[in-house]
Amino acid sequence: MSLFSLQMISPEGSIWEGEAEAVTVCGIQGSLGVWANHAPMIAALIPGTLEVRFAEESKYFAAGEGILEVRPDKRMVILIDYAESFDTKEEARLKAKELVDLL
């Protein structure tokens, strides 16, 4: 299992930082999954659910707009205007739907 370093940052400060196996986000062209050793890239994010997978568990967020950058040094940075952590994917999905409905 390969891991990469993930930093999620909002204007208020750090949201989450640690080692991850994979991240799933809502990009402007659809759902996007990023695993370790992904090619370097930059993607625009839209409001939706964000899932961070690590060590046989996941962390779920309702997320706002932002930018995801996959760097060549096995690091990923997500700059995001809003993110709130939830215990389940369904809770995060419901909050993300509220964010989308506000737009």
Side-chain angles (χ1 to χ4, degrees):
M1 157 183 65
S2 292
L3 300 173
F4 58 89
S5 172
L6 170 64
Q7 271 188 296
M8 288 176 43
I9 304 166
S10 77
E12 287 80 35
S14 180
I15 296 169
W16 193 85
E17 189 170 339
E19 297 292 313
E21 293 176 22
V23 173
T24 304
V25 296
C26 295
I28 60 172
Q29 296 181 327
S31 182
L32 173 67
V34 180
W35 294 78
N37 302 316
H38 193 286
M41 63 174 271
I42 295 176
L45 306 180
I46 60 172
T49 57
L50 187 152
E51 179 181 359
V52 178
R53 282 177 285 214
F54 53 94
E56 299 189 27
E57 65 178 278
S58 291
K59 193 158 195 59
Y60 302 99
F61 297 87
E65 296 178 335
I67 301 286
L68 173 146
E69 179 185 13
V70 178
R71 298 179 177 176
D73 60 357
K74 294 183 85 170
R75 291 181 57 220
M76 181 189 304
V77 176
I78 299 175
L79 302 174
I80 198 156
D81 64 357
Y82 167 86
E84 184 177 345
S85 177
F86 290 90
D87 293 330
T88 68
K89 190 173 191 173
E90 184 62 19
E91 290 173 318
R93 189 191 67 75
L94 290 172
K95 180 63 176 185
K97 184 178 180 330
E98 289 177 21
L99 292 173
V100 170
D101 289 345
L102 291 174
L103 297 176

